Amino acid sequence: MDTRDPPPGSAAAQQQQAKPTAHDMVNDARKQGVPAFEFPPDASPEDKAAMAKKAIPPGLDLSKAKATVKAAQAGDAIVSDLDGVGAAVDMPPAATNGVTNGTSQAIPGVAGAPAKSSEVNGYPKAGDGEWGRTGWEPRFGSLNDALGINKDDSVTDHQTFIEANLDEKFFGEWWHNAGIIAFSCLSTWFITKIGGGLAWVILIGAVCATYYRTSIRRVRRNVRDDINREMAKSRLESDVETLEWMNSFVVKFWPIYQPVMAATIVNVVDGILAAQTPGFLDSIRLSDFTLGTKPPRVDHVKTYPKTEDDIVEMDWAFSFTPNDTADLTSRQLKKKINPKIVLEVRVGKGIASKGIPIIVEDMAFSGTMKIKMKLQIPFPHIEKVDVCFLGRPTFDYALKPLGGETFGFDIGFLPGLSSFIQEQIHGNLGPMFYAPNVFTLEVAKMLSGAPIDTAIGVLAVTVHRAHGLKNPDKFSGTPDPYTVFSLNNRAELARTKTVHESADPKWSETKYIIVSNLNDSLTLQVYDYNEIRKDKELGVATFALDQLQENPEQENLTVPVINNGKARGQIMFDVRYFPVMEGRVLEDGTKEPPPESNTGIVRFTVHQAKDLDASKSLVGMLSPYTQIMLNNRAVFTTKTMKRKNDPVWEEAHEILITNRKTCKLGVVIKDERGFVDDPVLGKYQIKLTDLLEAKEKGTEWFNLVGAKTGRVKMTAQWKPVAIKGIAGTGGYITPIGVMRLHFQNAKDLRNLEALGKSDPYVRVLLSGVEKARSVTFENDLNPEWDEVLYVPVHSAKEMLCLEVMDQENLGKDRSLGATDLSLSEFIKEDAEGLYQVHDEKRNRSEGLLLGRKSTPKGVLNFTAAFYPCLNVADPEEEEEEKKLLEMEEDQNDTVKKDLAKAESSGKDNASTASSKKLGAPEGLDPAKTPISPAFTINSQSDEGEKKPPKIKLIPEELVKYDSGLLIFKIIDGQLSHKDCHLEVLMDDMLFPTFSTTRIRSKHVKFDEIGDAMVRELEFSEITLRLREHGDQGGESVLAKLSGSTLETLKMCLNNPTVLTLKNKDGEQSKVKVSLKYIPVNMKLDPSESISNMGTLRVDVLDAANLPSADRNGKSDPFCVFELDGKEVHKTQVQKKTLHPAWNEMFETKVASRTAAKFKVEIFDWDITSKADFLGKTDIDLTAIDPFNPQTFVYKLKGKKGEEGKFGELRLRMVFKPDYVTRTRQGSSTFHGTFAVPGKLVTGVAGAPLKVGGFAVGGISKGASFLKKNTFGRAKASAAAEEEPTIIEPEMERTTTNQTRPKSSGSAIRNVDGAGDDNLNTPKRGGSSNGLSPGSAMGGTSPHQRSRSTSSQRSVSGVIGSGPDSGTATVRLVSASGFPPGANVQVRIRAVDKNKDLLKSKSIKSSSGDVQYEESFTVQCFANQQFKIFVKDNHLFKDEELGEGLFVVDDTGSGQETVVQVGEGRVTLKTSFKSAETASNASPKAARRGLLKRG
C-alpha cells in the first residue's frame, strides 16, 4: 500500500483537504435544523445506497419524479385497428382483475396537501395579476415604446430662438439659405439707399446670421442623419458581432465542464449500447470519450432586428478546430489533449473473447447555424426553437477501425471513402437540419413534462396516379412503379402496391401517417420494382406540411417527381389533415376536457416489469422483451434488456384507433433465446376503455397471466381525432339525447359588408364540427329566424358553440360573433342513472363575442331544452357481447383445467402452455392468476356503481314512438357518378343532416355512421341525394331518392338494404344502408307538427259595400295580401265598383300557421296619385281545418283597426299540410285565376255576398251544389251544402265539437294557440297485439303524444296527404303587349326542371300581339308550378323579354289564365285531370319507402 502523500494540486490532495471542511459543513447544517447526511468514506456504493434509502421519509416515492424524454420522431407508420397486422396471437381474456395497486394511497401522517399561499412575507405574490412590483406586465414589443423613452431630447437642449418659435417648414432647406443671403444683401442696400446708419446694418446682419445659422444646422443634421441611416442599413445587412467575451469564458470553464460532460455521455451511451448489443457479440462499450483541451468557439453572430415582436432570429457561426494550434502558447501545446472516442467491440463469448478498439480522433467541425426562437408570455416564455444549418457544415476526422492506436490505419486516406462517408452524413442530416428544413425543439412541451414526440394529428394521403414516369436508365424499359411515403426522406412509413409495366400507374390508395410536427415535409419516393436487383429510385416528390395549417384539405395536387434536379414525371395526390381535438381554454384559464370521440390516437406506454419468473432461465438471468398487442395481433416489439429480471423499457407507441369501445390492448413478455423459440414469461390483455379508466384511478401495475410471478406497468393516453372517410371506422358514439335549440332572432349584429348589410345565419358547433345551421337572412342585421334545430349530444361535459355567420358567395363565410352553451346545465341524472327531461325553454339573450377579450356586439335570442334518449337495448351489441362472453368463458375453462392438471401432477417445471391454447405452468398459484371473465359492458367495474336497465323493444313496438333518432350506417355503393357527396336530408330541412366524405370512385366503401332527428315518424320523409363536390346550388344534385321514413325504417332496421337512386337521365346509383332507431323522450311542440306547415290556397272571391273613394261614388278596388310582412299576392283592379268580384287564386307556403301573420288590405287604384286605403282585416290560419275548403266572410276594418262601414270580403281557403323546405328568407308564391274577373262565382261554397240592402253578416245560399267542390276533390257528404262563415267582431261560431272564441276582425281560433285542436291531434289506437309503447317501460310513456288532424284526412298513399297526382294539359293561346317587330317565342318548363315542356314557334308581329295554338300534357301534381319565358328569337343570341309563374287550374272551370310576363301578357288555357287510382289504392300498398320490392 502506497502511503506517500499525493502530489500537491492533484485531485487526491484536493479531496484530503476537503474532508474536514465537508464534515464541518454537515455539523453546521444539522445544528440549523437542515437534514444532512454523511457516509463513511470506506463504505461501498451498495451500503451508501442502503443508508440513503433508510433516511428517506416514509411515503415519499422518488420513482414518480423521474421524467423520460424520448428523442423526437416526426412520424410513425400508421398502426390501427382497421385490419389485422401480423399473425394472430392467443391472448388471455381482457380483464381488470389483474390490477395490483388500485387507486393511489395517501401519505401516512399527512392530512392533506397545504393550500397554496397567495402571500409572501405578508405581501401579495408578484405576478399572477400583480405586476406592479415587477415594473410591467409581460408583453410583446419594445419596452421603450411602452414607457415612451425613445424621444431624443438632446436637440431641444440647444435650440435657438428662431428654431423654437418658427415652424420647421420655414427653414432647413437650401433655398431658405440662398434666400436669406439675398435678403441680407438687398436689405443693406436699401438701408444705405435711404440713408440708414450702421446700427440698422448690424441689426439686419444679426437677424440674418441667426436665421442662417439655424437653417444650416438643420441642413447638416439632416444630411448626417441620412448618411447614418444608410450606413446603419448596410451594417444590419452585412456586419456581424464577435463574441470574444463568451469565448474567453468558455476557455476557462472548459477544463471544469468537459470531464463532467464526457463522464455523463459515457455512462448514458454504455447503457444504450448494452441493450442494443447484437447476439453474435459479447459486448459493446464506450471505453474512452474526450473532446480535447481546446473548446469550441463562436466566431460571430448576426442578428435580425426587423422581425415580429415574438420572434428572435440570429445566425451563429461556430467552429471546433482542436488541431488549429496557431492561438496556443508553448505551455498549452505541451499539455494539449486531442479529441478521441474509443468504442470497444468484444467478439466471442465469456473467456474466449477479445476486445477490438475502434478509434475516432482529431475531430473538427465548423458551420453557420440559424436559430429562430418564438416567444410566449406563459412560462418558460420560449415556445419553440427552430434550428437549421445555412449550407453544408464542414467536418474532418481520423477513423481507425483496426489496429488500435499503435498499428491503427486511418481509412480516410483510401480513395473515395472519405467523400462517400461525408455524402452519407450530409444525406441523412440534410432533410432534418439543412435549410430550408428546420429541426424544431418544442421547449414549452419539453419543460412541461409532456413527450416531445407526441402526436398532433393524423395525415391522410391519397395517391391517385402518376404520369409520364421516366427511368433514368435508358435500357431498363418500362418501369414497375410503387410509391414510398416518409417524412423528410427518413424512415419508410407506408407504401403503395406495385403497378407492373406502366409509366402512367393508377394506385388510388389512401395511407395514414401519425404526425407530431407540421414543419416537416412529406416525401413521396417513386421506385422501380426489380425482382433480383435492388429497386431503383425514379424520383422524389415533396410537399411541405405547413401548408395544412391554413387549409387542412389539399386536393388534386400535382407535384413533379424530381431526380438529380430533373423532372422524371408527375404524381397526383390529395392530403388531408385531422388534428387532435383539445378542450378550449376558458376565460378563467381553466381548460375544458377534450370532446368525446370513438376515434383517435392512443399512446400506449410499456414502462417496466418486475418479479419475472427467473426459473425459466438456466442461469437465472433473463433477457426480456415485450410484444405490444392490438386486438390479439402484435404491432410493436420493444428492445431487449439483456440479463435483467426487472427490465425497464419506457417505450411508448401511438396507434390509430377507429373504435375505442371494441379495442383491446395487451402485452406478451418473452425471453430472448437466440436461435431457439423464445419462451413466454407472461401475458396480459385489457380493454382500452378499462385501461383509460384505470389510469384515472392511479392504477398502473397489472399481474401477468400464465406465469408464477410477474407484473407489468403500462399506461395509455387517449387523444380524440375526428377522422372521416376511413373504411371500417366505428367512430360513432351513440348520443344520450338531443338538444332542442329554438333560435328566435338576433339584434344589432355586426356589419362586415362595405356595401349593404351582412347575410346572417346561425350554426351550432360541437367540438368544432358544424352539427346544424339555420337558413340565411339576406341583407339584415336583425334577422327573425324563428327556427328550431336539434343537435344530438353525448355527455354533460360537452359545450355547444352558437355562432352567427355572414354568408359569402365568394370566399369563406365570416363570423359575426359566438356564444357558448354548457350542457351541464341541462343534462341531469336521477337516482337510477336515467337522464331527465329539461324543457324549461327559458328565453335567453346572449352577447356575441369574436374573441375571449372582445366586446360583445349583437345579441342572440334563443331557448334551449334537453330530451334524453330511451335506454333501448341494441340487438347487435347484445349478440356481440354474448359471443365475446362465451369465448372468454371457454378460455377461462381451459385455464382452470390446466391448473387442476398441474396440481394433480405436482411437476413444477412442466409447462402446459402452447401456441394455440392459453395455459399456465404446472404448480401455478391460482391466487396470482386472474381467471375471472372479462370486463364487458354489462358487468360492473365498481360494485357500488349502478347502471340503468335497458329496455328491450321489438321492431313493432319501436316504431310506435313518434320522435327519435334515426341512426344510419352507409356501408358501400355502386354509383354512376364520382367526385361527389352522398347526403341525407330529413323532412323540411334545407341543409343535409349528414354528408359523407368526398367520393372519388364509382365503387366505394363508406362504412360511415350518422344520425338525424325524426320529429314525427309517421309523416317523416327521408331523402338521399348525390351532390356534386364543391357546388351548393340546385343544379349540383346528381341523383335523388325520397320516401317515407317509417316504411324505409321497417325495411332497413338492422338489415343492410340496397337503395337505388336515379337521376334525370335514368342512370342508377345503388347504396347499401342499414338503419337503427332510438326513441327520444319528448312531446313534440304543436308548432313543429306537420299540421302546422304546408301550402295555403286562397281563392279571392268578391267583396261588398266597399267605401267609395272617387267622385263618381265608385272605387277601383284591388287587394294586397301580406304574409309575415311580405307581399305574396296582389289582385287585378276592378274598375268603378263597390262590389268587386276578382275570382283569383294564389298559393303560398306557410312554415308555421301558429306564428304566421297573414292579412289583406284593399286599396282604391288611382292613375295619378297613391292608392287610397279602403279597408283591411287579419286572417287567422289556425281556424282553417286541414284539407277542408272553407269560405270565410271578413268584416273589414279601418286603417287603425277601428270598426265601421268598410265593407266585407269573401275568401275561400284550403290548407294542405306538408313539409315546407326552408329557404333563404322568404317563400315562393304562385298566382292564377279560376273564373272570369268581375263575375260572381256560385256553387258549392261559392255564394256571392248580398249588395244593396245587405244585412250585416247576412248570406245567401248557393244556387246549386256539385258532385265535386271547387278544388276538385269529392265531398265528404254530397247531400249537404256548405255555407260560408261570416266573421264579425265579438261573435262566435258554434261547431259540433266545441265553441271557440274569436278575436276581432280575424278567423276563429282559440285564445291559447298551443291548445288548438287543429294542431293537437287525437291519439292513435294501439297495435293489433295490444301492446303500447308505454307498456314496454312498465307504464304510460311521457313520450306518447296525439296525432295531427292531417292523418285523419290524409289521402291514401301520400305522406301528410300531399297534392293529387294526375295529368296537366296546358294550351298556349296568345301573347300580347310585347315590343312591335319582336320575333316572339314562348317557352314553358317546370320550376324544378331544366327541360322545356313547350317551345313555341317564333312569330313576328308588327303590333306585338301573337296568336298561338300549341299545347302539351305532362304528368305532375296538382300544385305543380310552371315557369314561362318569352324571348325575342334571333339566329345567334336570344333577347329575354320576361318570365312569369303559373299553376294549372284544377277547378275544372275551363277559363283562360293570363300570366304577366315582363311588359306583356301570355294567355293560357290549363286543365288538370286527377288520377282515380290514387283513391282506390289501399293505405298499406300506397305507402312506400325508399326501396321498391320486385
Side-chain angles (χ1 to χ4, degrees):
M1 182 176 180
D2 191 0
T3 58
R4 293 176 296 176
D5 295 335
S10 64
Q14 295 178 3
Q15 185 177 2
Q16 290 183 0
Q17 296 175 4
K19 285 182 180 179
T21 305
H23 182 70
D24 296 339
M25 291 174 61
V26 170
N27 292 334
D28 294 341
R30 289 175 179 174
K31 291 179 181 179
Q32 298 176 9
V34 179
F37 305 99
E38 185 177 11
F39 301 102
D42 299 332
S44 62
E46 292 78 6
D47 296 338
K48 293 180 180 180
M51 297 173 63
K53 188 174 182 179
K54 292 181 180 180
I56 296 176
L60 180 61
D61 188 2
L62 296 179
S63 61
K64 293 185 178 180
K66 298 179 180 179
T68 301
V69 179
K70 187 179 178 182
Q73 181 180 352
D76 292 324
I78 196 71
V79 174
S80 69
D81 54 351
L82 291 178
D83 46 18
V85 179
V89 179
D90 189 17
M91 292 293 294
T96 57
N97 50 4
V99 174
T100 63
N101 58 346
T103 56
S104 57
Q105 299 178 356
I107 300 177
V110 181
K116 293 185 179 180
S117 175
S118 60
E119 296 184 353
V120 176
N121 199 19
Y123 292 92
K125 279 186 177 181
D128 296 336
E130 177 60 36
W131 300 101
R133 298 168 60 188
T134 62
W136 63 87
E137 184 176 353
R139 65 185 300 276
F140 292 123
S142 173
L143 183 61
N144 294 341
D145 296 338
L147 300 180
I149 59 177
N150 280 334
K151 298 178 180 179
D152 189 2
D153 296 331
S154 59
V155 178
T156 60
D157 296 339
H158 305 282
Q159 288 182 344
T160 63
F161 177 81
I162 295 178
E163 189 173 4
N165 295 276
L166 193 64
D167 194 271
E168 293 182 354
K169 64 183 179 181
F170 297 114
F171 66 91
E173 301 292 344
W174 65 269
W175 57 81
H176 294 146
N177 302 335
I180 196 63
I181 294 174
F183 173 77
S184 62
C185 295
L186 292 175
S187 60
T188 53
W189 174 82
F190 180 74
I191 292 298
T192 305
K193 191 72 174 176
I194 64 175
L198 183 61
W200 285 102
V201 175
I202 295 175
L203 178 62
I204 293 176
V207 173
C208 292
T210 303
Y211 179 86
Y212 180 80
R213 174 179 175 272
T214 303
S215 181
I216 201 67
R217 271 184 69 207
R218 181 62 180 271
V219 172
R220 292 171 179 171
R221 187 168 70 244
N222 291 342
V223 172
R224 183 174 63 251
D225 291 344
D226 292 341
I227 294 174
N228 291 336
R229 190 179 301 108
E230 294 300 324
M231 293 180 64
K233 290 181 180 179
S234 177
R235 285 196 301 269
L236 285 175
E237 296 176 357
S238 61
D239 292 0
V240 294
E241 176 186 358
T242 61
L243 294 179
E244 289 303 325
W245 64 270
M246 180 182 292
N247 296 326
S248 177
F249 168 77
V250 173
V251 167
K252 296 182 178 181
F253 184 69
W254 187 251
I256 302 173
Y257 178 67
Q258 198 281 145
V260 178
M261 179 183 64
T264 304
I265 293 176
V266 168
N267 295 332
V268 173
V269 174
D270 272 348
I272 297 175
L273 293 177
Q276 302 295 335
T277 302
F280 59 88
L281 296 179
D282 184 70
S283 66
I284 302 178
R285 58 185 294 267
L286 190 64
S287 58
D288 291 326
F289 181 89
T290 179
L291 296 179
T293 55
K294 186 175 181 180
R297 59 179 283 112
V298 179
D299 296 334
H300 59 78
V301 175
K302 180 181 179 181
T303 61
Y304 296 89
K306 296 182 179 181
T307 58
E308 291 82 357
D309 291 340
D310 59 341
I311 298 296
V312 177
E313 187 174 352
M314 297 176 290
D315 294 344
W316 288 58
F318 58 91
S319 61
F320 179 61
T321 55
N323 292 329
D324 185 6
T325 60
D327 57 344
L328 299 180
T329 64
S330 58
R331 177 178 294 182
Q332 291 174 337
L333 287 174
K334 292 180 181 179
K335 297 182 179 181
K336 178 178 178 293
I337 300 176
N338 291 328
K340 183 172 63 175
I341 301 175
V342 180
L343 183 67
E344 185 183 82
V345 179
R346 182 166 292 276
V347 182
K349 293 290 183 181
I351 301 176
S353 62
K354 174 63 177 177
I356 301 176
I358 301 175
I359 302 175
V360 181
E361 59 184 0
D362 296 339
M363 293 87 70
F365 187 88
S366 64
T368 303
M369 180 174 288
K370 178 178 286 293
I371 300 176
K372 187 176 181 180
M373 294 184 291
K374 182 174 178 57
L375 307 179
Q376 65 178 16
I377 291 180
F379 181 82
H381 311 304
I382 298 178
E383 180 181 349
K384 62 181 180 180
V385 178
D386 294 336
V387 181
C388 69
F389 284 104
L390 300 178
R392 288 186 170 188
T394 59
F395 56 89
D396 192 15
Y397 59 90
L399 175 60
K400 301 176 181 178
L402 297 174
E405 297 184 10
T406 306
F407 302 102
F409 173 72
D410 184 9
I411 64 174
F413 291 105
L414 296 178
L417 183 60
S418 177
S419 60
F420 172 76
I421 295 176
Q422 290 193 8
E423 288 299 326
Q424 290 295 318
I425 295 176
H426 288 313
N428 286 277
L429 294 181
M432 291 189 296
F433 285 99
Y434 296 175
N437 301 318
V438 297
F439 182 79
T440 302
L441 293 175
E442 300 286 350
V443 179
K445 292 183 179 179
M446 293 171 60
L447 296 182
S448 65
I452 61 175
D453 63 338
T454 183
I456 62 173
V458 176
L459 203 64
V461 184
T462 302
V463 56
H464 300 292
R465 60 188 181 276
H467 176 70
L469 295 180
K470 300 178 182 178
N471 202 320
D473 190 353
K474 297 182 180 180
F475 302 99
S476 298
T478 306
D480 303 325
Y482 66 90
T483 302
V484 173
F485 302 84
S486 62
L487 292 177
N488 288 342
N489 206 12
R490 295 198 290 268
E492 176 183 336
L493 304 177
R495 70 167 60 189
T496 65
K497 62 184 178 182
T498 301
V499 179
H500 296 281
E501 297 291 334
S502 177
D504 301 317
K506 294 183 179 180
W507 291 291
S508 298
E509 296 183 30
T510 301
K511 303 297 179 181
Y512 298 90
I513 300 173
I514 297 177
V515 294
S516 59
N517 193 347
L518 289 182
N519 291 328
D520 296 329
S521 295
L522 173 68
T523 53
L524 288 79
Q525 299 170 280
V526 183
Y527 285 89
D528 177 20
Y529 171 76
N530 294 297
E531 294 183 0
I532 303 175
R533 297 179 290 109
K534 182 181 179 182
D535 297 347
K536 191 168 187 178
E537 182 179 323
L538 301 180
V540 179
T542 306
F543 174 77
L545 298 183
D546 55 2
Q547 304 178 44
L548 299 173
Q549 294 179 350
E550 297 182 358
N551 185 10
E553 292 191 7
Q554 302 277 346
E555 298 180 345
N556 300 323
L557 298 174
T558 301
V559 180
V561 179
I562 305 297
N563 190 349
N564 294 329
K566 297 181 180 180
R568 297 293 180 180
Q570 294 179 332
I571 186 170
M572 282 67 78
F573 60 95
D574 300 338
V575 180
R576 291 178 295 161
Y577 174 62
F578 303 100
V580 172
M581 296 186 295
E582 298 180 352
R584 295 179 302 170
V585 179
L586 303 180
E587 296 182 0
D588 56 358
T590 59
K591 191 174 183 180
E592 294 180 351
E596 295 287 338
S597 176
N598 205 32
T599 58
I601 301 172
V602 60
R603 185 181 180 87
F604 184 54
T605 305
V606 180
H607 299 276
Q608 57 181 315
K610 288 186 177 182
D611 304 330
L612 296 179
D613 187 6
S615 62
K616 293 190 177 183
S617 175
L618 297 177
V619 295
M621 297 298 294
L622 303 171
S623 297
Y625 66 92
T626 298
Q627 289 181 334
I628 297 178
M629 315 299 295
L630 173 64
N631 294 335
N632 297 335
R633 297 182 183 273
V635 292
F636 291 109
T637 301
T638 67
K639 60 187 177 184
T640 302
M641 306 302 295
K642 291 196 172 184
R643 302 178 183 86
K644 288 188 177 181
N645 294 342
D646 295 330
V648 178
W649 293 287
E650 294 293 346
E651 290 195 22
H653 296 278
E654 291 178 318
I655 307 170
L656 174 62
I657 302 298
T658 60
N659 193 344
R660 187 177 68 172
K661 296 187 295 183
T662 60
C663 175
K664 292 182 291 185
L665 294 173
V667 294
V668 177
I669 302 178
K670 296 183 178 181
D671 181 26
E672 187 183 63
R673 293 292 177 88
F675 300 102
V676 298
D677 292 338
D678 300 338
V680 177
L681 302 179
K683 304 178 181 180
Y684 195 82
Q685 185 173 227
I686 187 173
K687 287 188 175 182
L688 175 58
T689 54
D690 297 337
L691 185 59
L692 296 174
E693 183 180 353
K695 182 185 178 183
E696 294 179 357
K697 297 180 179 180
T699 302
E700 298 177 346
W701 288 92
F702 304 89
N703 288 331
L704 294 175
V705 178
K708 291 182 179 179
T709 60
R711 51 198 177 108
V712 62
K713 180 182 180 182
M714 54 186 184
T715 57
Q717 180 184 1
W718 177 253
K719 301 174 184 177
V721 181
I723 305 176
K724 298 181 65 177
I726 297 183
T729 172
Y732 179 79
I733 296 181
T734 304
I736 62 173
V738 294
M739 287 293 298
R740 179 187 183 272
L741 301 172
H742 180 197
F743 294 103
Q744 299 161 345
N745 52 54
K747 301 294 183 183
D748 193 23
L749 295 177
R750 290 178 173 87
N751 189 13
L752 303 181
E753 301 292 341
L755 297 175
K757 299 178 182 178
S758 300
D759 304 327
Y761 68 91
V762 60
R763 65 175 183 172
V764 184
L765 301 177
L766 178 61
S767 304
V769 180
E770 182 178 309
K771 292 297 183 181
R773 60 161 291 182
S774 70
V775 298
T776 303
F777 270 53
E778 297 178 343
N779 199 33
D780 194 351
L781 299 181
N782 300 285
E784 297 284 342
W785 289 297
D786 192 22
E787 189 169 348
V788 177
L789 301 178
Y790 290 90
V791 178
V793 294
H794 313 87
S795 171
K797 299 179 181 179
E798 292 178 332
M799 182 86 69
L800 293 181
C801 178
L802 314 180
E803 186 175 19
V804 180
M805 303 291 292
D806 176 23
Q807 181 166 317
E808 297 291 328
N809 294 327
L810 297 177
K812 294 184 178 180
D813 298 347
R814 298 175 292 182
S815 176
L816 300 179
T819 183
D820 294 333
L821 184 66
S822 176
L823 300 186
S824 58
E825 178 183 349
F826 303 91
I827 302 178
K828 305 294 182 182
E829 295 184 25
D830 59 8
E832 297 181 356
L834 294 173
Y835 292 102
Q836 298 297 300
V837 175
H838 187 287
D839 57 353
E840 182 181 350
K841 299 179 184 178
R842 175 173 56 88
N843 291 327
R844 296 171 177 266
S845 296
E846 302 291 344
L848 299 175
L849 302 173
L850 277 179
R852 288 189 298 168
K853 296 183 179 180
S854 65
T855 303
K857 173 63 176 176
V859 176
L860 179 65
N861 299 315
F862 64 97
T863 65
F866 172 73
Y867 300 99
C869 295
L870 297 185
N871 195 20
V872 179
D874 188 352
E876 292 183 356
E877 291 185 1
E878 289 183 341
E879 185 67 21
E880 182 180 351
E881 293 171 11
K882 183 179 179 181
K883 292 180 179 179
L884 181 62
L885 186 59
E886 291 177 355
M887 181 183 65
E888 293 168 349
E889 289 178 353
D890 292 341
Q891 291 180 341
N892 289 328
D893 292 340
T894 304
V895 175
K896 293 179 181 179
K897 292 178 182 178
D898 292 336
L899 291 175
K901 184 178 180 181
E903 291 177 357
S904 61
S905 62
K907 296 179 180 181
D908 295 337
N909 296 328
S911 176
T912 59
S914 64
S915 61
K916 295 183 179 180
K917 293 184 178 181
L918 175 64
E922 296 188 14
L924 181 64
D925 185 3
K928 296 183 179 180
T929 304
I931 49 180
S932 62
F935 182 82
T936 61
I937 299 177
N938 291 329
S939 62
Q940 305 298 329
S941 58
D942 295 332
E943 295 181 359
E945 181 181 357
K946 294 183 179 180
K947 292 188 177 181
K950 291 191 175 182
I951 305 172
K952 294 185 178 181
L953 299 177
I954 61 176
E956 291 77 7
E957 298 172 345
L958 192 65
V959 296
K960 293 180 180 179
Y961 292 88
D962 276 352
S963 302
L965 277 176
L966 184 68
I967 301 175
F968 38 84
K969 180 178 182 181
I970 304 176
I971 303 173
D972 54 31
Q974 296 180 358
L975 312 177
S976 59
H977 304 82
K978 60 181 181 179
D979 198 26
C980 56
H981 299 268
L982 178 63
E983 298 178 338
V984 180
L985 291 88
M986 299 298 300
D987 302 336
D988 58 337
M989 302 304 294
L990 177 64
F991 301 98
T993 58
F994 176 78
S995 178
T996 65
T997 56
R998 185 176 178 181
I999 302 172
R1000 304 181 184 276
S1001 63
K1002 293 185 178 181
H1003 302 278
V1004 61
K1005 186 175 182 180
F1006 296 101
D1007 279 339
E1008 298 187 31
I1009 304 177
D1011 50 34
M1013 180 64 186
V1014 178
R1015 292 172 298 182
E1016 292 180 293
L1017 182 59
E1018 183 179 3
F1019 309 114
S1020 175
E1021 294 181 357
I1022 184 172
T1023 300
L1024 273 69
R1025 72 182 184 188
L1026 287 175
R1027 181 181 57 79
E1028 188 176 356
H1029 174 70
D1031 192 354
Q1032 300 293 336
E1035 302 295 333
S1036 64
V1037 178
L1038 304 176
K1040 185 177 179 181
L1041 179 63
S1042 299
S1044 167
T1045 304
L1046 177 60
E1047 298 301 322
T1048 306
L1049 178 61
K1050 292 179 180 179
M1051 297 176 187
C1052 305
L1053 183 62
N1054 298 321
N1055 177 32
T1057 307
V1058 176
L1059 307 179
T1060 302
L1061 289 74
K1062 294 183 179 180
N1063 61 4
K1064 58 183 179 181
D1065 298 327
E1067 296 179 339
Q1068 294 185 353
S1069 298
K1070 296 183 178 181
V1071 180
K1072 185 182 290 185
V1073 177
S1074 177
L1075 300 180
K1076 294 182 181 180
Y1077 186 68
I1078 303 178
V1080 174
N1081 188 6
M1082 181 182 73
K1083 184 178 181 181
L1084 189 67
D1085 190 277
S1087 62
E1088 297 181 65
S1089 173
I1090 189 176
S1091 61
N1092 189 45
M1093 64 186 72
T1095 303
L1096 175 68
R1097 170 166 173 161
V1098 180
D1099 293 347
V1100 187
L1101 301 177
D1102 47 39
N1105 302 329
L1106 296 179
S1108 62
D1110 298 335
R1111 295 180 179 179
N1112 58 5
K1114 303 291 184 178
S1115 296
D1116 303 325
F1118 66 92
C1119 299
V1120 177
F1121 290 84
E1122 291 186 0
L1123 178 62
D1124 295 329
K1126 293 181 174 21
E1127 180 181 318
V1128 295
H1129 182 70
K1130 178 166 34 176
T1131 67
Q1132 298 295 325
V1133 178
Q1134 297 295 312
K1135 296 294 185 67
K1136 300 179 180 180
T1137 178
L1138 300 181
H1139 315 290
W1142 289 282
N1143 298 329
E1144 298 183 24
M1145 60 77 61
F1146 68 92
E1147 289 188 359
T1148 183
K1149 299 290 186 180
V1150 179
S1152 173
R1153 284 200 291 161
T1154 58
K1157 297 179 180 179
F1158 191 43
K1159 70 175 182 178
V1160 58
E1161 293 180 328
I1162 302 179
F1163 296 91
D1164 171 59
W1165 177 80
D1166 198 329
I1167 192 173
T1168 59
S1169 61
K1170 185 178 179 181
D1172 299 326
F1173 177 82
L1174 298 180
K1176 71 174 183 178
T1177 185
D1178 295 328
I1179 303 174
D1180 186 3
L1181 299 182
T1182 60
I1184 306 174
D1185 295 332
F1187 300 106
N1188 183 21
Q1190 294 174 266
T1191 301
F1192 298 88
V1193 177
Y1194 293 91
K1195 296 285 292 183
L1196 299 178
K1197 297 182 179 181
K1199 198 168 188 177
K1200 297 182 180 180
E1202 70 274 13
E1203 298 179 6
K1205 296 181 180 180
F1206 296 97
E1208 299 83 23
L1209 174 67
R1210 188 167 66 105
L1211 303 176
R1212 181 169 58 225
M1213 293 180 287
V1214 61
F1215 182 78
K1216 305 174 185 178
D1218 194 6
Y1219 284 114
V1220 178
T1221 303
R1222 305 168 187 180
T1223 58
R1224 287 171 63 101
Q1225 190 185 0
S1227 303
S1228 60
T1229 309
F1230 45 92
H1231 318 267
T1233 59
F1234 58 88
V1236 178
K1239 179 181 178 181
L1240 297 181
V1241 178
T1242 60
V1244 176
L1249 292 174
K1250 283 187 178 181
V1251 297
F1254 179 74
V1256 177
I1259 61 172
S1260 64
K1261 295 185 178 181
S1264 64
F1265 59 89
L1266 303 177
K1267 184 176 181 179
K1268 290 189 176 181
N1269 64 5
T1270 308
F1271 295 89
R1273 288 184 176 83
K1275 294 286 291 181
S1277 175
E1281 290 184 347
E1282 177 194 357
E1283 296 184 359
T1285 305
I1286 299 178
I1287 308 301
E1288 297 183 7
E1290 307 301 330
M1291 293 183 65
E1292 297 181 354
R1293 182 182 67 174
T1294 304
T1295 64
T1296 57
N1297 297 327
Q1298 60 179 352
T1299 301
R1300 302 182 182 179
K1302 65 182 189 323
S1303 57
S1304 175
S1306 64
I1308 301 171
R1309 65 174 295 177
N1310 283 340
V1311 178
D1312 185 5
D1316 198 318
D1317 285 349
N1318 289 325
L1319 302 180
N1320 293 329
T1321 55
K1323 297 182 179 179
R1324 177 174 54 172
S1327 60
S1328 59
N1329 57 5
L1331 183 62
S1332 65
S1335 63
M1337 303 178 59
T1340 303
S1341 171
H1343 175 75
Q1344 268 190 312
R1345 62 177 188 80
S1346 56
R1347 289 284 174 193
S1348 50
T1349 308
S1350 59
S1351 63
Q1352 302 173 15
R1353 302 180 182 270
S1354 62
V1355 178
S1356 176
V1358 182
I1359 297 298
S1361 296
D1364 291 343
S1365 61
T1367 303
T1369 303
V1370 179
R1371 185 162 65 92
L1372 177 61
V1373 179
S1374 63
S1376 61
F1378 293 100
N1383 203 15
V1384 181
Q1385 184 187 54
V1386 180
R1387 300 181 182 182
I1388 301 176
R1389 67 176 62 165
V1391 292
D1392 55 348
K1393 305 292 182 182
N1394 293 325
K1395 184 178 180 181
D1396 291 335
L1397 299 174
L1398 174 67
K1399 186 176 181 181
S1400 72
K1401 58 185 178 181
S1402 301
I1403 300 178
K1404 189 173 184 180
S1405 173
S1406 58
S1407 63
D1409 298 338
V1410 181
Q1411 299 295 325
Y1412 296 95
E1413 283 298 332
E1414 302 183 28
S1415 64
F1416 69 91
T1417 59
V1418 64
Q1419 299 289 332
C1420 64
F1421 291 103
N1423 63 350
Q1424 176 65 54
Q1425 194 174 5
F1426 295 90
K1427 184 180 292 186
I1428 184 169
F1429 301 87
V1430 177
K1431 296 188 177 183
D1432 185 5
N1433 190 17
H1434 296 282
L1435 180 60
F1436 297 102
K1437 185 178 180 181
D1438 297 341
E1439 181 181 354
E1440 190 82 25
L1441 298 179
E1443 64 179 51
L1445 297 174
F1446 72 93
V1447 66
V1448 294
D1449 181 13
D1450 60 348
T1451 62
S1453 62
Q1455 300 295 328
E1456 292 182 347
T1457 300
V1458 179
V1459 183
Q1460 186 75 28
V1461 182
E1463 297 180 355
R1465 295 184 180 184
V1466 176
T1467 304
L1468 305 169
K1469 281 190 175 182
T1470 63
S1471 62
F1472 182 80
K1473 184 177 181 181
S1474 177
E1476 297 295 337
T1477 56
S1479 60
N1480 299 329
S1482 62
K1484 292 186 178 180
R1487 291 290 299 274
R1488 67 178 184 91
L1490 293 180
L1491 180 67
K1492 288 186 177 181
R1493 301 287 186 183

